[in-house]
Amino acid sequence: MTQAERLVPNPSVTDFAGFGLGLRPAHFHDVLHNSHPVDWFEVISENFFVAGGKPRYYLSQIRERYPVALHGVSLSIGTRDPLDLAYLGQLKALIDEVKPVIVSDHMCWTSGGGHNSHDLLPLPYTEEVVVHLIERINQVQDFLGRQIVLENVSAYVAFQQSELQEWEFLNAVANGSGCGLLLDVNNIYVNERNLGINASNFLNNIEGRHIQQIHVAGHSDYGSYVIDTHDAPIRPEVFELFRAAFERFGPINTMIERDDHIPEFAVLVDELNQLRSYAAPSLDAGDAGDAGQNREQLGGS
Amino acid sequence: MPARIESSLVGLEHLQHHMMAFLLDTAQGTSSSHEAELQRLLTADSPPEGLQIYSHAYGTRLVEVLRNDHEKLYSWLGSELFESFARSYVASHPSTVRSLRHYGAGFPSFLAELEHPKAERAAQLCLFERTLMDAYDSASAPRLAADRLTALAPERWPVLKLRCHPSVRVFTDTATAVSLWQEMNGAPGSPPSSEVQHWLLWRDHSRVCQFRHLQAAEYVAFTAMGTSHLTLADTAERLLETLSAEQIAAQLQQFLGQWFVDGLVSDIN
Ligand SMILES: [Fe+2]
């Protein structure tokens, strides 16, 4: 039995949980006390590597009512440094407590030589790096006792070493390790603008069966390049790319990432409703059922 | 370097070494000798701004973390001075933490060593803000109600020991930084004093951080019972230096009662 076959898929993610938002402290109160149509929430794992207090309290309150996905930013799966077991231990403890529907991070590296960049640095797309990633993902999945989901990142440089297309690289890692993929459509757009990759080619070739979640976000456009800032509303081009992805891959848990210039909760809810409208034709055509109606089923631990 | 090695994991290690060194160099505001090697590894059609986007993000992100974690310090120093102190800290303190929550842990002692007229007060204000952060997200624990104290059998009083709530901290202020914090928070600060002041900080029942000034006797009593886990009898003995023998029993009872009301006590034995 291969590693991939032994892995239990994330509980219930094969069911469509609907449309979610990144949970930000400024919105804790709105999330709990106002009625809203947000189906689930994603939280940054590292923000909850604290012992207690308000952050952990609100997280547990929100988890009682909604499915929660844990999204990490410093696993550094692609570094040549040894795996950080203390970090993984903290992550595992959080997983045990939160019982998330998805545990994700990024297909990138963030640390090297014991230092942290706090950035999602791109990898060269080579066969050797694929093997390196598969080995490390296997170790992480063994340690956590569950599947992890890794996201395509935005990049501002490309490496001469790369011998694979980004989508080929992602497919190869997912096929070899059994990890899931988190498809960030804004990152695909950013890479199209910055590096000249072909976004539709990416969508046509990435293997849909690995995709467990979709991210949509805003970016900053500087003309000759764009930066994945998550500090602005989603641009029309990215909405269109989302429409194409959703149409192609079917109902997949989708959420909006907003990390800076965070507006009122209601503004994000409006944007989420806009996102739903781009997904609606695919949902009406398919047999997906009503997004959000699965909450009870998913919310139970 | 031979092409074969470049495309292997040695190549990955090489790339990661130069990239990290480049980020750390540029955080010091200098150009990096690693940049030329990195440029050589990039494709010709990578955006010319590519590496600068990463180096700019590294420094900016860390300065922003310090600013967000130290709002009062930022307003007291003003953006220019704060930025210059924060930039120097980032330049000399490559991040070794996974969670940005801890990046500024060394900021207070860094500020204390600066040669600047505001250094000492800045360091204390910074440390006070970090102590509040620590109280804010420290572990949760039960809090005993005051009736646990009243129900205590008389023979257990002398050997009574406390275990405090994990959020409880004592902050010693040598630069009237706390009154500065209070003024900036819109409340009248405590009267300026050249003396060292002690403050008790904790997270209350509703998960909000509180702090109050400790007078000399309560400071002695709290450090004895709350910090050093001494018995009530030993604490009373310590108080002999601060209070007259007749005052001690009544004072201690009052302090203990207040500690319970404030929700500082998680357990007794
Ligand atoms: Fe993303």
Side-chain angles (χ1 to χ4, degrees):
Chain A
M1 197 182 272
T2 67
Q3 168 79 19
E5 284 163 335
R6 270 192 295 119
L7 286 168
V8 184
N10 282 301
S12 310
V13 263
T14 43
D15 300 321
F16 179 46
F19 295 86
L21 286 178
L23 183 66
R24 301 296 172 255
H27 300 148
F28 283 163
H29 191 269
D30 287 310
V31 170
L32 284 174
H33 301 288
N34 298 343
S35 89
H36 56 75
V38 183
D39 298 318
W40 61 282
F41 291 91
E42 182 185 86
V43 305
I44 303 296
S45 313
E46 288 82 355
N47 289 352
F48 294 90
F49 286 5
V50 293
K54 263 187 194 167
R56 291 297 287 257
Y57 168 76
Y58 277 108
L59 179 58
S60 72
Q61 293 287 300
I62 288 162
R63 178 63 189 93
E64 274 177 25
R65 296 163 176 76
Y66 301 94
V68 164
L70 290 181
H71 187 51
V73 292
S74 59
L75 172 62
S76 200
I77 196 71
T79 183
R80 288 287 290 148
D81 281 2
L83 277 174
D84 183 341
L85 293 178
Y87 171 83
L88 288 175
Q90 282 182 294
L91 180 59
K92 192 169 164 52
L94 189 64
I95 290 170
D96 289 345
E97 193 181 308
V98 173
K99 299 182 173 55
V101 285
I102 290 181
V103 176
S104 64
D105 204 290
H106 301 82
M107 201 76 87
C108 72
W109 65 287
T110 59
S111 57
H115 294 131
N116 260 289
S117 70
H118 301 285
D119 208 340
L120 308 169
L121 303 170
L123 291 159
Y125 305 139
T126 69
E127 296 287 358
E128 284 94 344
V129 174
V130 168
V131 171
H132 172 58
L133 287 173
I134 291 171
E135 203 175 289
R136 304 235 325 164
I137 294 167
N138 285 342
Q139 287 170 27
V140 170
Q141 293 185 137
D142 275 346
F143 184 94
L144 299 178
R146 65 181 290 152
Q147 185 188 37
I148 58 167
V149 174
L150 296 172
E151 171 179 352
N152 60 298
V153 296
S154 48
Y156 310 102
V157 293
F159 302 109
Q160 287 189 36
Q161 287 180 45
S162 292
E163 54 204 19
L164 304 171
Q165 301 282 323
E166 187 182 1
W167 56 263
E168 270 180 299
F169 178 80
L170 296 167
N171 285 344
V173 175
N175 282 318
S177 66
C179 77
L181 295 178
L182 194 170
L183 191 73
D184 187 312
V185 294
N186 182 57
N187 291 349
I188 301 174
Y189 175 80
V190 168
N191 290 355
E192 179 170 69
R193 288 282 306 276
N194 289 345
L195 307 172
I197 74 160
N198 182 320
S200 15
N201 195 35
F202 185 114
L203 289 184
N204 288 338
N205 286 289
I206 192 90
E207 290 171 18
R209 64 199 174 94
H210 301 303
I211 301 172
Q212 305 220 3
Q213 190 186 323
I214 293 178
H215 271 175
V216 190
H219 58 259
S220 304
D221 196 328
Y222 294 92
S224 60
Y225 61 92
V226 297
I227 300 186
D228 178 32
T229 43
H230 297 184
D231 65 351
I234 300 162
R235 303 271 182 137
E237 309 87 299
V238 176
F239 271 127
E240 284 306 329
L241 208 53
F242 165 70
R243 187 209 301 278
F246 206 83
E247 200 174 279
R248 181 168 180 88
F249 303 119
I252 288 174
N253 305 312
T254 297
M255 54 86 59
I256 298 175
E257 292 184 290
R258 186 67 177 261
D259 297 312
D260 219 338
H261 301 151
I262 295 172
E264 300 275 294
F265 186 63
V267 174
L268 291 180
V269 167
D270 283 349
E271 196 175 35
L272 195 63
N273 285 334
Q274 216 181 331
L275 196 62
R276 282 179 206 271
S277 70
Y278 281 85
S282 317
L283 286 173
D284 293 344
D287 196 17
D290 192 359
Q293 295 305 305
N294 293 331
R295 181 179 301 165
E296 291 309 310
Q297 177 195 345
L298 284 162
S301 56
Chain B
M1 191 176 285
R4 175 65 205 148
I5 295 182
E6 280 235 0
S7 68
S8 73
L9 281 177
V10 176
L12 179 63
E13 215 163 284
H14 178 80
L15 162 70
Q16 291 182 342
H17 165 74
H18 287 288
M19 184 71 183
M20 194 56 76
F22 165 73
L23 294 178
L24 300 183
D25 282 354
T26 49
Q28 300 182 29
T30 59
S31 62
S32 172
S33 59
H34 299 275
E35 186 170 353
E37 179 56 22
L38 281 175
Q39 287 292 358
R40 215 176 60 76
L41 301 173
L42 305 184
T43 58
D45 50 2
S46 292
E49 302 85 355
L51 289 177
Q52 272 61 49
I53 293 173
Y54 288 110
S55 63
H56 179 258
Y58 176 78
T60 309
R61 179 175 289 119
L62 294 179
V63 168
E64 200 176 296
V65 165
L66 296 174
R67 194 177 57 217
N68 291 340
D69 287 349
H70 299 288
E71 277 179 31
K72 297 283 191 293
L73 179 64
Y74 177 81
S75 11
W76 184 60
L77 292 175
S79 62
E80 206 170 311
L81 193 54
F82 182 92
E83 186 100 351
S84 110
F85 289 169
R87 288 266 163 209
S88 321
Y89 179 75
V90 171
S92 54
H93 292 71
S95 173
T96 55
V97 295
R98 298 244 162 186
S99 168
L100 287 166
R101 156 74 176 77
H102 303 291
Y103 178 66
F107 200 31
S109 52
F110 169 83
L111 291 170
E113 282 169 23
L114 291 178
E115 293 205 12
H116 190 279
K118 287 190 162 180
E120 193 201 348
R121 226 168 169 205
Q124 290 271 301
L125 185 56
C126 183
L127 185 61
F128 183 66
E129 291 193 293
R130 295 205 76 80
T131 310
L132 284 172
M133 278 167 71
D134 292 340
Y136 175 77
D137 59 19
S138 59
S140 306
R143 301 168 202 266
L144 296 190
D147 57 7
R148 281 292 295 275
L149 205 55
T150 43
L152 204 63
E155 68 275 15
R156 290 205 43 215
W157 277 89
V159 292
L160 174 69
K161 286 184 177 185
L162 304 182
R163 211 181 67 224
C164 283
H165 190 270
S167 67
V168 177
R169 305 281 187 281
V170 173
F171 179 77
T172 297
D173 186 1
T174 55
T176 57
V178 178
S179 51
L180 191 59
W181 190 100
Q182 289 172 312
E183 279 162 32
M184 284 188 291
N185 211 41
S190 6
S193 152
S194 55
E195 308 217 332
V196 170
Q197 294 187 338
H198 302 288
W199 296 84
L200 186 63
L201 288 81
W202 72 99
R203 188 173 74 225
D204 70 13
H205 301 86
S206 50
R207 297 172 194 84
V208 174
C209 289
Q210 304 289 351
F211 60 91
R212 65 178 169 83
H213 184 242
L214 288 175
Q215 299 293 345
E218 191 179 5
Y219 172 70
V220 171
F222 192 82
T223 45
M225 285 203 89
T227 316
S228 308
H229 306 292
L230 298 187
T231 62
L232 189 70
D234 290 341
T235 301
E237 202 146 315
R238 278 207 178 178
L239 277 170
L240 280 170
E241 285 178 26
T242 323
L243 298 173
S244 66
E246 318 69 86
Q247 291 174 298
I248 291 178
Q251 268 295 319
L252 260 179
Q253 198 175 3
Q254 194 212 317
F255 292 153
L256 270 171
Q258 190 59 47
W259 299 343
F260 274 80
V261 169
D262 288 338
L264 307 183
V265 183
S266 276
D267 203 3
I268 54 173
N269 58 6

